[in-house]
Amino acid sequence: MIYSRLLYTEHEHPHDEHGEGAYTIFSTQQTMDVNSMPLSAVSLQKFAVLWEGRPDTRVIDLIEEGIIKGALAPVKLLHASEGTLFIAYDSMLDDGHYEEFVNAWADIASGALYDS
C-alpha cells in the first residue's frame, strides 16, 4: 500500500485474527546521521511502525512532519496507541542531541492531540 510520497513500503505484515501483530517497514531517503550531521552521500533509512489494528494514517502524518523537520534520522520504531506515541531511537544518538530530538518529537506529537 502507498501511504506517502515520502515513504517506500518495504514490507507489510497484517494483523492476526485478534487484530494484533501488524507492522510495516518503511524506508526513506536520509541526508543526516542520527546526530543531525550531514552524511557524505544520501542513504536509505529503514524503520518500522507497529499498528494497533488497522494502519492509522495519522501516524504517517507525524512521520512526514518528522522528515520535514529533520527529526526522523534516529527513529527505529514508532507505535501509537491510546493517545501515546512510543518512539524507539538509535542508541548512537548522543546526549547533546537527545534533548533536541525529544523536543522536536514533542512538538510533532502535540499536533496530533484530540485525534486531529
Side-chain angles (χ1 to χ4, degrees):
M1 171 185 239
I2 297 174
Y3 293 97
S4 166
R5 292 179 186 255
L6 301 177
L7 300 170
Y8 177 76
T9 304
E10 295 280 344
H11 177 74
E12 282 195 292
H13 182 79
H15 58 76
D16 63 15
E17 63 274 1
H18 305 290
E20 299 174 343
Y23 66 89
T24 303
I25 298 174
F26 291 107
S27 64
T28 189
Q29 292 181 349
Q30 187 56 260
T31 59
M32 307 294 262
D33 71 9
V34 298
N35 291 301
S36 302
M37 300 302 294
L39 295 169
S40 60
V42 175
S43 66
L44 283 179
Q45 176 182 352
K46 291 183 183 180
F47 60 94
V49 176
L50 304 179
W51 303 112
E52 187 166 303
R54 300 174 58 170
D56 186 344
T57 56
R58 294 173 297 175
V59 175
I60 302 301
D61 292 340
L62 297 177
I63 294 167
E64 288 177 337
E65 191 170 345
I67 291 169
I68 292 165
K69 290 186 174 189
L72 189 69
V75 173
K76 295 291 185 185
L77 179 115
L78 288 146
H79 177 63
S81 175
E82 298 179 17
T84 301
L85 178 63
F86 173 82
I87 302 172
Y89 59 90
D90 193 307
S91 63
M92 297 300 289
L93 180 65
D94 66 34
D95 293 339
H97 292 95
Y98 175 77
E99 187 173 335
E100 186 179 311
F101 173 73
V102 169
N103 290 337
W105 278 96
D107 182 53
I108 291 166
S110 70
L113 290 174
Y114 312 112
D115 293 326
S116 63

Short mmCIF file of all heavy atoms in Angstrom, two decimals, residues 8-69:
data_model
loop_
_atom_site.label_atom_id
_atom_site.label_comp_id
_atom_site.label_asym_id
_atom_site.label_seq_id
_atom_site.Cartn_x
_atom_site.Cartn_y
_atom_site.Cartn_z
N TYR A 8 8.67 4.70 1.24
CA TYR A 8 8.53 3.49 0.44
C TYR A 8 8.19 2.36 1.40
O TYR A 8 8.82 2.20 2.45
CB TYR A 8 9.84 3.19 -0.30
CG TYR A 8 9.77 1.90 -1.09
CD1 TYR A 8 9.09 1.85 -2.30
CD2 TYR A 8 10.36 0.74 -0.61
CE1 TYR A 8 9.00 0.67 -3.02
CE2 TYR A 8 10.28 -0.44 -1.31
CZ TYR A 8 9.59 -0.47 -2.52
OH TYR A 8 9.51 -1.65 -3.22
N THR A 9 7.20 1.59 1.06
CA THR A 9 6.81 0.45 1.89
C THR A 9 7.68 -0.75 1.52
O THR A 9 7.55 -1.31 0.44
CB THR A 9 5.31 0.11 1.68
OG1 THR A 9 4.53 1.26 1.95
CG2 THR A 9 4.89 -1.03 2.58
N GLU A 10 8.56 -1.13 2.44
CA GLU A 10 9.46 -2.26 2.23
C GLU A 10 8.75 -3.59 2.48
O GLU A 10 8.96 -4.55 1.76
CB GLU A 10 10.67 -2.16 3.17
CG GLU A 10 11.58 -0.98 2.92
CD GLU A 10 12.52 -1.18 1.77
OE1 GLU A 10 12.72 -2.35 1.34
OE2 GLU A 10 13.08 -0.19 1.28
N HIS A 11 7.95 -3.62 3.54
CA HIS A 11 7.28 -4.86 3.93
C HIS A 11 6.07 -4.53 4.80
O HIS A 11 6.13 -3.62 5.62
CB HIS A 11 8.24 -5.76 4.71
CG HIS A 11 7.62 -7.03 5.20
ND1 HIS A 11 7.34 -8.09 4.37
CD2 HIS A 11 7.22 -7.40 6.44
CE1 HIS A 11 6.78 -9.06 5.09
NE2 HIS A 11 6.71 -8.67 6.35
N GLU A 12 5.00 -5.29 4.62
CA GLU A 12 3.82 -5.16 5.49
C GLU A 12 3.45 -6.52 6.03
O GLU A 12 3.48 -7.52 5.30
CB GLU A 12 2.63 -4.60 4.71
CG GLU A 12 2.71 -3.12 4.50
CD GLU A 12 1.38 -2.54 4.07
OE1 GLU A 12 0.95 -2.84 2.95
OE2 GLU A 12 0.79 -1.79 4.86
N HIS A 13 3.12 -6.54 7.30
CA HIS A 13 2.67 -7.77 7.94
C HIS A 13 1.28 -7.49 8.52
O HIS A 13 1.12 -6.59 9.35
CB HIS A 13 3.64 -8.17 9.06
CG HIS A 13 3.26 -9.45 9.72
ND1 HIS A 13 3.52 -10.68 9.16
CD2 HIS A 13 2.62 -9.69 10.88
CE1 HIS A 13 3.07 -11.63 9.96
NE2 HIS A 13 2.52 -11.04 11.01
N PRO A 14 0.26 -8.21 8.07
CA PRO A 14 -1.10 -7.94 8.54
C PRO A 14 -1.31 -8.41 9.99
O PRO A 14 -0.54 -9.21 10.52
CB PRO A 14 -1.98 -8.75 7.58
CG PRO A 14 -1.09 -9.86 7.12
CD PRO A 14 0.30 -9.30 7.11
N HIS A 15 -2.35 -7.88 10.59
CA HIS A 15 -2.67 -8.30 11.96
C HIS A 15 -3.27 -9.71 11.96
O HIS A 15 -3.74 -10.21 10.94
CB HIS A 15 -3.62 -7.31 12.63
CG HIS A 15 -4.92 -7.11 11.92
ND1 HIS A 15 -5.95 -8.02 11.95
CD2 HIS A 15 -5.36 -6.09 11.16
CE1 HIS A 15 -6.97 -7.57 11.25
NE2 HIS A 15 -6.62 -6.40 10.74
N ASP A 16 -3.22 -10.34 13.12
CA ASP A 16 -3.77 -11.68 13.25
C ASP A 16 -5.28 -11.62 13.49
O ASP A 16 -5.88 -10.53 13.42
CB ASP A 16 -3.05 -12.47 14.36
CG ASP A 16 -3.23 -11.85 15.74
OD1 ASP A 16 -4.11 -10.98 15.93
OD2 ASP A 16 -2.47 -12.24 16.64
N GLU A 17 -5.88 -12.74 13.79
CA GLU A 17 -7.33 -12.79 13.98
C GLU A 17 -7.80 -12.00 15.20
O GLU A 17 -8.99 -11.69 15.33
CB GLU A 17 -7.83 -14.25 14.08
CG GLU A 17 -7.29 -15.01 15.28
CD GLU A 17 -5.93 -15.67 15.02
OE1 GLU A 17 -5.38 -15.54 13.93
OE2 GLU A 17 -5.43 -16.31 15.95
N HIS A 18 -6.87 -11.61 16.07
CA HIS A 18 -7.21 -10.81 17.25
C HIS A 18 -6.93 -9.32 17.02
O HIS A 18 -7.04 -8.53 17.95
CB HIS A 18 -6.42 -11.29 18.47
CG HIS A 18 -6.62 -12.75 18.75
ND1 HIS A 18 -7.81 -13.26 19.22
CD2 HIS A 18 -5.78 -13.79 18.61
CE1 HIS A 18 -7.69 -14.57 19.37
NE2 HIS A 18 -6.47 -14.92 18.99
N GLY A 19 -6.53 -8.96 15.81
CA GLY A 19 -6.23 -7.57 15.48
C GLY A 19 -4.87 -7.11 15.97
O GLY A 19 -4.60 -5.92 16.07
N GLU A 20 -3.97 -8.05 16.28
CA GLU A 20 -2.65 -7.71 16.82
C GLU A 20 -1.54 -8.16 15.88
O GLU A 20 -1.73 -9.01 15.03
CB GLU A 20 -2.47 -8.39 18.18
CG GLU A 20 -3.49 -7.94 19.20
CD GLU A 20 -3.40 -8.72 20.50
OE1 GLU A 20 -2.77 -9.80 20.52
OE2 GLU A 20 -3.97 -8.25 21.49
N GLY A 21 -0.37 -7.59 16.08
CA GLY A 21 0.82 -8.04 15.37
C GLY A 21 1.08 -7.39 14.03
O GLY A 21 2.02 -7.77 13.33
N ALA A 22 0.30 -6.39 13.65
CA ALA A 22 0.50 -5.74 12.36
C ALA A 22 1.67 -4.76 12.43
O ALA A 22 1.84 -4.05 13.43
CB ALA A 22 -0.76 -5.01 11.92
N TYR A 23 2.47 -4.74 11.38
CA TYR A 23 3.54 -3.76 11.29
C TYR A 23 3.87 -3.50 9.83
O TYR A 23 3.54 -4.28 8.95
CB TYR A 23 4.80 -4.21 12.05
CG TYR A 23 5.48 -5.42 11.48
CD1 TYR A 23 6.47 -5.30 10.51
CD2 TYR A 23 5.15 -6.71 11.92
CE1 TYR A 23 7.11 -6.42 9.99
CE2 TYR A 23 5.78 -7.82 11.41
CZ TYR A 23 6.76 -7.68 10.45
OH TYR A 23 7.39 -8.78 9.94
N THR A 24 4.53 -2.37 9.60
CA THR A 24 5.02 -2.00 8.28
C THR A 24 6.46 -1.53 8.43
O THR A 24 6.77 -0.81 9.38
CB THR A 24 4.17 -0.88 7.66
OG1 THR A 24 2.80 -1.29 7.61
CG2 THR A 24 4.63 -0.53 6.25
N ILE A 25 7.30 -1.94 7.51
CA ILE A 25 8.66 -1.43 7.47
C ILE A 25 8.75 -0.46 6.30
O ILE A 25 8.41 -0.81 5.17
CB ILE A 25 9.69 -2.57 7.31
CG1 ILE A 25 9.60 -3.49 8.53
CG2 ILE A 25 11.11 -2.00 7.15
CD1 ILE A 25 10.44 -4.72 8.44
N PHE A 26 9.16 0.76 6.62
CA PHE A 26 9.28 1.82 5.63
C PHE A 26 10.74 2.15 5.40
O PHE A 26 11.60 1.91 6.25
CB PHE A 26 8.60 3.10 6.12
CG PHE A 26 7.11 3.03 6.21
CD1 PHE A 26 6.49 2.95 7.45
CD2 PHE A 26 6.32 3.04 5.07
CE1 PHE A 26 5.10 2.91 7.55
CE2 PHE A 26 4.94 2.99 5.16
CZ PHE A 26 4.33 2.92 6.40
N SER A 27 11.01 2.75 4.25
CA SER A 27 12.32 3.36 4.00
C SER A 27 12.10 4.74 3.41
O SER A 27 11.05 5.02 2.81
CB SER A 27 13.18 2.49 3.07
OG SER A 27 12.60 2.40 1.80
N THR A 28 13.08 5.58 3.60
CA THR A 28 13.04 6.93 3.06
C THR A 28 14.47 7.41 2.85
O THR A 28 15.40 6.87 3.46
CB THR A 28 12.26 7.90 3.98
OG1 THR A 28 12.06 9.15 3.31
CG2 THR A 28 12.97 8.13 5.30
N GLN A 29 14.65 8.39 2.02
CA GLN A 29 15.98 8.95 1.81
C GLN A 29 16.38 9.70 3.07
O GLN A 29 15.56 10.32 3.74
CB GLN A 29 15.99 9.91 0.63
CG GLN A 29 15.79 9.22 -0.69
CD GLN A 29 15.84 10.20 -1.85
OE1 GLN A 29 15.82 11.41 -1.68
NE2 GLN A 29 15.90 9.66 -3.05
N GLN A 30 17.67 9.64 3.38
CA GLN A 30 18.17 10.33 4.56
C GLN A 30 19.49 11.00 4.22
O GLN A 30 20.38 10.38 3.63
CB GLN A 30 18.35 9.34 5.71
CG GLN A 30 18.69 9.97 7.04
CD GLN A 30 17.70 11.01 7.48
OE1 GLN A 30 17.94 12.19 7.32
NE2 GLN A 30 16.57 10.58 8.01
N THR A 31 19.61 12.27 4.59
CA THR A 31 20.84 13.03 4.34
C THR A 31 21.58 13.35 5.63
O THR A 31 22.67 13.91 5.58
CB THR A 31 20.54 14.35 3.61
OG1 THR A 31 19.64 15.13 4.42
CG2 THR A 31 19.90 14.09 2.25
N MET A 32 20.99 12.99 6.78
CA MET A 32 21.59 13.29 8.08
C MET A 32 21.81 11.99 8.86
O MET A 32 21.05 11.04 8.71
CB MET A 32 20.67 14.20 8.90
CG MET A 32 20.24 15.45 8.18
SD MET A 32 21.61 16.55 7.88
CE MET A 32 21.41 17.66 9.22
N ASP A 33 22.83 11.98 9.72
CA ASP A 33 23.02 10.83 10.59
C ASP A 33 22.17 11.02 11.85
O ASP A 33 21.45 12.02 11.97
CB ASP A 33 24.50 10.59 10.90
CG ASP A 33 25.12 11.62 11.84
OD1 ASP A 33 24.40 12.47 12.42
OD2 ASP A 33 26.36 11.59 12.01
N VAL A 34 22.25 10.09 12.78
CA VAL A 34 21.39 10.14 13.96
C VAL A 34 21.64 11.36 14.83
O VAL A 34 20.78 11.74 15.63
CB VAL A 34 21.50 8.86 14.81
CG1 VAL A 34 21.04 7.66 14.02
CG2 VAL A 34 22.88 8.67 15.37
N ASN A 35 22.79 12.01 14.68
CA ASN A 35 23.12 13.20 15.46
C ASN A 35 23.05 14.48 14.64
O ASN A 35 23.71 15.47 14.93
CB ASN A 35 24.50 13.04 16.10
CG ASN A 35 24.47 11.98 17.17
OD1 ASN A 35 23.71 12.10 18.13
ND2 ASN A 35 25.27 10.95 17.01
N SER A 36 22.22 14.44 13.59
CA SER A 36 21.94 15.61 12.74
C SER A 36 23.15 16.14 11.99
O SER A 36 23.18 17.31 11.63
CB SER A 36 21.30 16.73 13.57
OG SER A 36 20.12 16.29 14.17
N MET A 37 24.12 15.28 11.76
CA MET A 37 25.28 15.67 10.98
C MET A 37 25.07 15.22 9.53
O MET A 37 24.55 14.12 9.30
CB MET A 37 26.56 15.03 11.54
CG MET A 37 26.85 15.42 12.98
SD MET A 37 27.02 17.19 13.23
CE MET A 37 28.48 17.52 12.31
N PRO A 38 25.45 16.06 8.56
CA PRO A 38 25.26 15.68 7.16
C PRO A 38 26.06 14.43 6.79
O PRO A 38 27.21 14.28 7.21
CB PRO A 38 25.78 16.89 6.39
CG PRO A 38 25.87 18.00 7.37
CD PRO A 38 26.03 17.38 8.72
N LEU A 39 25.42 13.54 6.05
CA LEU A 39 26.10 12.35 5.54
C LEU A 39 26.87 12.72 4.27
O LEU A 39 26.50 13.67 3.58
CB LEU A 39 25.08 11.25 5.22
CG LEU A 39 24.32 10.67 6.41
CD1 LEU A 39 23.17 9.80 5.94
CD2 LEU A 39 25.26 9.88 7.31
N SER A 40 27.90 11.98 3.96
CA SER A 40 28.68 12.27 2.75
C SER A 40 27.91 11.92 1.49
O SER A 40 28.21 12.43 0.41
CB SER A 40 30.02 11.53 2.79
OG SER A 40 29.80 10.14 2.86
N ALA A 41 26.92 11.04 1.61
CA ALA A 41 26.07 10.65 0.47
C ALA A 41 24.67 10.36 1.00
O ALA A 41 24.49 9.97 2.15
CB ALA A 41 26.62 9.41 -0.20
N VAL A 42 23.70 10.58 0.15
CA VAL A 42 22.32 10.26 0.52
C VAL A 42 22.21 8.76 0.77
O VAL A 42 22.77 7.96 0.02
CB VAL A 42 21.34 10.68 -0.60
CG1 VAL A 42 19.92 10.24 -0.28
CG2 VAL A 42 21.39 12.19 -0.80
N SER A 43 21.54 8.39 1.85
CA SER A 43 21.38 6.98 2.16
C SER A 43 19.91 6.67 2.40
O SER A 43 19.06 7.55 2.33
CB SER A 43 22.21 6.61 3.39
OG SER A 43 21.70 7.29 4.52
N LEU A 44 19.62 5.40 2.66
CA LEU A 44 18.27 4.98 2.97
C LEU A 44 18.15 4.72 4.47
O LEU A 44 19.03 4.11 5.07
CB LEU A 44 17.89 3.70 2.23
CG LEU A 44 17.54 3.85 0.77
CD1 LEU A 44 17.23 2.48 0.19
CD2 LEU A 44 16.35 4.76 0.59
N GLN A 45 17.08 5.18 5.03
CA GLN A 45 16.76 4.89 6.42
C GLN A 45 15.58 3.95 6.44
O GLN A 45 14.57 4.20 5.78
CB GLN A 45 16.41 6.16 7.18
CG GLN A 45 15.98 5.88 8.60
CD GLN A 45 15.58 7.13 9.35
OE1 GLN A 45 15.74 8.24 8.87
NE2 GLN A 45 15.04 6.93 10.54
N LYS A 46 15.68 2.86 7.18
CA LYS A 46 14.57 1.94 7.36
C LYS A 46 14.11 2.00 8.81
O LYS A 46 14.93 2.10 9.72
CB LYS A 46 14.97 0.51 7.02
CG LYS A 46 15.22 0.30 5.54
CD LYS A 46 15.54 -1.15 5.25
CE LYS A 46 15.86 -1.32 3.78
NZ LYS A 46 16.18 -2.71 3.46
N PHE A 47 12.81 1.95 9.00
CA PHE A 47 12.23 1.94 10.34
C PHE A 47 10.89 1.24 10.28
O PHE A 47 10.31 1.07 9.21
CB PHE A 47 12.09 3.36 10.90
CG PHE A 47 11.20 4.24 10.08
CD1 PHE A 47 9.85 4.37 10.39
CD2 PHE A 47 11.70 4.92 8.99
CE1 PHE A 47 9.02 5.17 9.61
CE2 PHE A 47 10.88 5.73 8.21
CZ PHE A 47 9.53 5.85 8.52
N ALA A 48 10.42 0.81 11.43
CA ALA A 48 9.16 0.06 11.49
C ALA A 48 8.09 0.88 12.20
O ALA A 48 8.39 1.70 13.07
CB ALA A 48 9.36 -1.25 12.23
N VAL A 49 6.86 0.62 11.83
CA VAL A 49 5.69 1.17 12.53
C VAL A 49 4.83 -0.01 12.95
O VAL A 49 4.46 -0.85 12.12
CB VAL A 49 4.87 2.12 11.62
CG1 VAL A 49 3.62 2.59 12.34
CG2 VAL A 49 5.72 3.31 11.18
N LEU A 50 4.57 -0.08 14.24
CA LEU A 50 3.67 -1.11 14.76
C LEU A 50 2.27 -0.53 14.76
O LEU A 50 2.04 0.59 15.23
CB LEU A 50 4.06 -1.48 16.20
CG LEU A 50 5.50 -1.95 16.41
CD1 LEU A 50 5.72 -2.27 17.89
CD2 LEU A 50 5.81 -3.15 15.56
N TRP A 51 1.33 -1.29 14.23
CA TRP A 51 -0.04 -0.83 14.12
C TRP A 51 -0.91 -1.52 15.18
O TRP A 51 -0.76 -2.71 15.42
CB TRP A 51 -0.63 -1.14 12.75
CG TRP A 51 0.14 -0.58 11.61
CD1 TRP A 51 0.84 -1.30 10.68
CD2 TRP A 51 0.28 0.79 11.23
NE1 TRP A 51 1.41 -0.45 9.76
CE2 TRP A 51 1.08 0.83 10.07
CE3 TRP A 51 -0.19 1.98 11.76
CZ2 TRP A 51 1.41 2.03 9.44
CZ3 TRP A 51 0.15 3.16 11.13
CH2 TRP A 51 0.93 3.18 9.98
N GLU A 52 -1.80 -0.78 15.74
CA GLU A 52 -2.80 -1.37 16.62
C GLU A 52 -4.07 -1.52 15.79
O GLU A 52 -4.73 -0.53 15.46
CB GLU A 52 -3.05 -0.45 17.82
CG GLU A 52 -3.96 -1.09 18.84
CD GLU A 52 -3.94 -0.35 20.14
OE1 GLU A 52 -2.86 -0.18 20.72
OE2 GLU A 52 -5.02 0.07 20.56
N GLY A 53 -4.37 -2.74 15.41
CA GLY A 53 -5.49 -2.97 14.50
C GLY A 53 -5.08 -2.59 13.09
O GLY A 53 -4.07 -3.03 12.58
N ARG A 54 -5.85 -1.70 12.49
CA ARG A 54 -5.58 -1.26 11.11
C ARG A 54 -4.59 -0.11 11.10
O ARG A 54 -4.48 0.64 12.06
CB ARG A 54 -6.90 -0.83 10.48
CG ARG A 54 -7.91 -1.96 10.43
CD ARG A 54 -9.22 -1.50 9.94
NE ARG A 54 -9.06 -0.93 8.60
CZ ARG A 54 -10.05 -0.60 7.82
NH1 ARG A 54 -11.28 -0.78 8.22
NH2 ARG A 54 -9.83 -0.11 6.63
N PRO A 55 -3.85 0.06 10.00
CA PRO A 55 -2.93 1.19 9.90
C PRO A 55 -3.65 2.52 10.10
O PRO A 55 -4.76 2.72 9.63
CB PRO A 55 -2.38 1.08 8.47
CG PRO A 55 -2.44 -0.39 8.18
CD PRO A 55 -3.72 -0.85 8.85
N ASP A 56 -3.01 3.41 10.83
CA ASP A 56 -3.56 4.72 11.17
C ASP A 56 -2.78 5.79 10.41
O ASP A 56 -1.60 6.01 10.69
CB ASP A 56 -3.44 4.93 12.68
CG ASP A 56 -4.11 6.19 13.17
OD1 ASP A 56 -4.42 7.08 12.34
OD2 ASP A 56 -4.33 6.30 14.39
N THR A 57 -3.41 6.43 9.46
CA THR A 57 -2.71 7.40 8.62
C THR A 57 -2.25 8.63 9.40
O THR A 57 -1.40 9.37 8.93
CB THR A 57 -3.59 7.84 7.44
OG1 THR A 57 -4.82 8.37 7.93
CG2 THR A 57 -3.86 6.67 6.50
N ARG A 58 -2.78 8.85 10.60
CA ARG A 58 -2.28 9.97 11.42
C ARG A 58 -0.82 9.75 11.79
O ARG A 58 -0.07 10.72 11.91
CB ARG A 58 -3.14 10.14 12.68
CG ARG A 58 -4.57 10.57 12.35
CD ARG A 58 -5.43 10.58 13.57
NE ARG A 58 -5.52 9.21 14.08
CZ ARG A 58 -6.13 8.87 15.20
NH1 ARG A 58 -6.70 9.79 15.94
NH2 ARG A 58 -6.18 7.62 15.58
N VAL A 59 -0.41 8.50 11.95
CA VAL A 59 1.00 8.21 12.24
C VAL A 59 1.86 8.59 11.03
O VAL A 59 2.96 9.12 11.19
CB VAL A 59 1.19 6.72 12.62
CG1 VAL A 59 2.66 6.38 12.79
CG2 VAL A 59 0.41 6.39 13.88
N ILE A 60 1.35 8.34 9.83
CA ILE A 60 2.07 8.72 8.61
C ILE A 60 2.26 10.23 8.58
O ILE A 60 3.34 10.73 8.23
CB ILE A 60 1.33 8.23 7.35
CG1 ILE A 60 1.16 6.71 7.37
CG2 ILE A 60 2.03 8.70 6.09
CD1 ILE A 60 2.44 5.92 7.44
N ASP A 61 1.24 10.99 8.98
CA ASP A 61 1.36 12.45 9.03
C ASP A 61 2.48 12.86 9.98
O ASP A 61 3.25 13.79 9.68
CB ASP A 61 0.04 13.08 9.49
CG ASP A 61 -1.07 12.94 8.47
OD1 ASP A 61 -0.78 12.70 7.28
OD2 ASP A 61 -2.25 13.06 8.87
N LEU A 62 2.59 12.18 11.13
CA LEU A 62 3.66 12.50 12.09
C LEU A 62 5.03 12.19 11.49
O LEU A 62 5.98 12.96 11.66
CB LEU A 62 3.47 11.70 13.37
CG LEU A 62 2.19 11.96 14.17
CD1 LEU A 62 2.12 11.04 15.38
CD2 LEU A 62 2.09 13.41 14.59
N ILE A 63 5.15 11.06 10.80
CA ILE A 63 6.41 10.69 10.17
C ILE A 63 6.81 11.71 9.12
O ILE A 63 7.96 12.15 9.05
CB ILE A 63 6.32 9.27 9.56
CG1 ILE A 63 6.13 8.23 10.66
CG2 ILE A 63 7.55 8.97 8.70
CD1 ILE A 63 5.72 6.87 10.14
N GLU A 64 5.86 12.11 8.29
CA GLU A 64 6.15 13.11 7.26
C GLU A 64 6.64 14.41 7.89
O GLU A 64 7.58 15.03 7.40
CB GLU A 64 4.93 13.36 6.39
CG GLU A 64 4.62 12.22 5.45
CD GLU A 64 3.35 12.43 4.64
OE1 GLU A 64 2.47 13.21 5.07
OE2 GLU A 64 3.23 11.80 3.58
N GLU A 65 6.01 14.82 8.98
CA GLU A 65 6.46 16.03 9.67
C GLU A 65 7.86 15.83 10.24
O GLU A 65 8.68 16.73 10.20
CB GLU A 65 5.47 16.41 10.78
CG GLU A 65 5.74 17.78 11.34
CD GLU A 65 4.66 18.28 12.26
OE1 GLU A 65 3.55 17.72 12.29
OE2 GLU A 65 4.95 19.26 12.98
N GLY A 66 8.14 14.62 10.75
CA GLY A 66 9.48 14.31 11.24
C GLY A 66 10.52 14.40 10.14
O GLY A 66 11.63 14.89 10.36
N ILE A 67 10.17 13.96 8.94
CA ILE A 67 11.08 14.06 7.79
C ILE A 67 11.33 15.52 7.47
O ILE A 67 12.47 15.96 7.31
CB ILE A 67 10.50 13.32 6.56
CG1 ILE A 67 10.50 11.81 6.81
CG2 ILE A 67 11.29 13.67 5.30
CD1 ILE A 67 9.73 11.02 5.76
N ILE A 68 10.27 16.30 7.39
CA ILE A 68 10.38 17.71 7.02
C ILE A 68 11.19 18.49 8.06
O ILE A 68 11.99 19.36 7.71
CB ILE A 68 8.98 18.32 6.82
CG1 ILE A 68 8.35 17.70 5.56
CG2 ILE A 68 9.03 19.84 6.72
CD1 ILE A 68 6.87 17.91 5.42
N LYS A 69 11.01 18.17 9.33
CA LYS A 69 11.73 18.88 10.41
C LYS A 69 13.13 18.32 10.65
O LYS A 69 13.85 18.82 11.50
CB LYS A 69 10.93 18.83 11.70
CG LYS A 69 9.69 19.67 11.64
CD LYS A 69 8.98 19.72 12.96
CE LYS A 69 7.83 20.71 12.86
NZ LYS A 69 7.22 20.97 14.14
#
